[in-house]
Amino acid sequence: GLRFSGMVEMKELGYMVSNFADNREEIAYTFQMTKHHIYSRLTMSPTGYLQQITFIEKNENRILSWFSPMDQCDVYKVCGPYSYCYMSTSPLCNCIQGFEPKIWRAWELKDGTSGCVRKTRLSCGNGDGFLRLEKMKLPNTTFTIVDRSIDVKECEERCRNNCNCTAFANADIRHGGSGCVIWTGELMDIRNYPAGGQDLYVR
């Protein structure tokens, strides 16, 4: 509802209106400048470097509004399944609580690409709980179910009743949160931010 999950650096600009469309016909992000003397463009290089450059016609200023990737944690899959990247730790990759490194030797060499595995199996019933991770970039959404009509409590119940569910989160973080995203596969490409991000509930 505010920005892309993996880009907390996206600035809200007073002279720009953003719009995200998600329907049966399209999934699209657009923005429009509200002041006629300010222009902006969003570009992506062949290597995946995304940046927004803003031009102010009056004084011919060119401003780099934001860009991504900003650091190592923005690199796709730098940490493997069920682990998250955090720039303030060494090594950068950390297992989610309740998980441990899949290949200990690799982790000792500061290579977290193999990811983590559960310490104990899930019961797939009422015994399963959820760990709340704060200020997170949400995982890759390849294997997800989205329902914008329910709240986070109903989302939790749906996840608990689905043995394939591995995590859930709000689809929209505005106004206290709404909607539901449920992950049904490995949790990949997660990071933790010092500020920003959103809550992710891991089974």
Side-chain angles (χ1 to χ4, degrees):
L2 298 177
R3 61 185 172 265
F4 295 115
S5 172
M7 296 182 188
V8 294
E9 60 274 7
M10 276 182 84
K11 296 176 183 173
E12 288 204 27
L13 306 172
Y15 46 81
M16 188 177 87
V17 176
S18 296
N19 183 49
F20 182 71
D22 181 7
N23 54 53
R24 289 182 179 171
E25 294 179 16
E26 67 176 348
I27 297 175
Y29 166 74
T30 59
F31 64 90
Q32 183 176 1
M33 308 312 284
T34 58
K35 295 186 177 178
H36 298 297
H37 67 281
I38 299 176
Y39 304 90
S40 193
R41 73 175 180 205
L42 194 59
T43 61
M44 180 177 282
S45 74
T47 58
Y49 181 78
L50 183 67
Q51 63 180 1
Q52 183 165 14
I53 299 172
T54 303
F55 303 88
I56 300 175
E57 192 177 50
K58 288 179 182 175
N59 51 16
E60 298 184 358
N61 275 359
R62 178 180 151 164
I63 303 160
L64 179 61
S65 301
W66 61 269
F67 61 92
S68 183
M70 287 189 70
D71 54 43
Q72 280 181 282
C73 285
D74 280 339
V75 176
Y76 183 62
K77 290 186 180 179
V78 69
C79 299
Y82 302 108
S83 65
Y84 62 91
C85 190
Y86 189 44
M87 287 301 296
S88 296
T89 60
S90 180
L92 296 174
C93 297
N94 302 268
C95 288
I96 295 171
Q97 186 180 328
F99 293 78
E100 62 187 2
K102 184 175 182 180
I103 303 172
W104 282 94
R105 191 172 297 167
W107 279 69
E108 287 168 0
L109 298 171
K110 298 186 177 184
D111 177 4
T113 55
S114 58
C116 305
V117 291
R118 289 187 187 279
K119 291 179 182 177
T120 54
R121 291 180 61 124
L122 294 172
S123 64
C124 189
N126 293 331
D128 292 345
F130 295 93
L131 173 69
R132 178 183 171 199
L133 301 177
E134 300 177 24
K135 301 177 185 172
M136 305 303 285
K137 170 192 175 289
L138 298 184
N140 180 304
T141 54
T142 303
F143 301 104
T144 56
I145 300 165
V146 179
D147 187 337
R148 296 185 182 281
S149 67
I150 62 174
D151 64 15
V152 75
K153 286 205 167 192
E154 193 174 345
C155 192
E156 179 177 343
E157 282 308 304
R158 283 203 191 170
C159 186
R160 194 185 310 278
N161 294 328
N162 180 346
C163 292
N164 295 320
C165 177
T166 51
F168 69 91
N170 278 130
D172 190 328
I173 59 174
R174 292 175 295 179
H175 316 297
S178 64
C180 173
V181 182
I182 289 176
W183 281 262
T184 57
E186 288 184 332
L187 303 180
M188 284 291 302
D189 197 39
I190 311 170
R191 72 168 294 173
N192 185 250
Y193 293 108
Q198 69 186 88
D199 292 346
L200 173 69
Y201 299 86
V202 179
R203 191 175 202 155

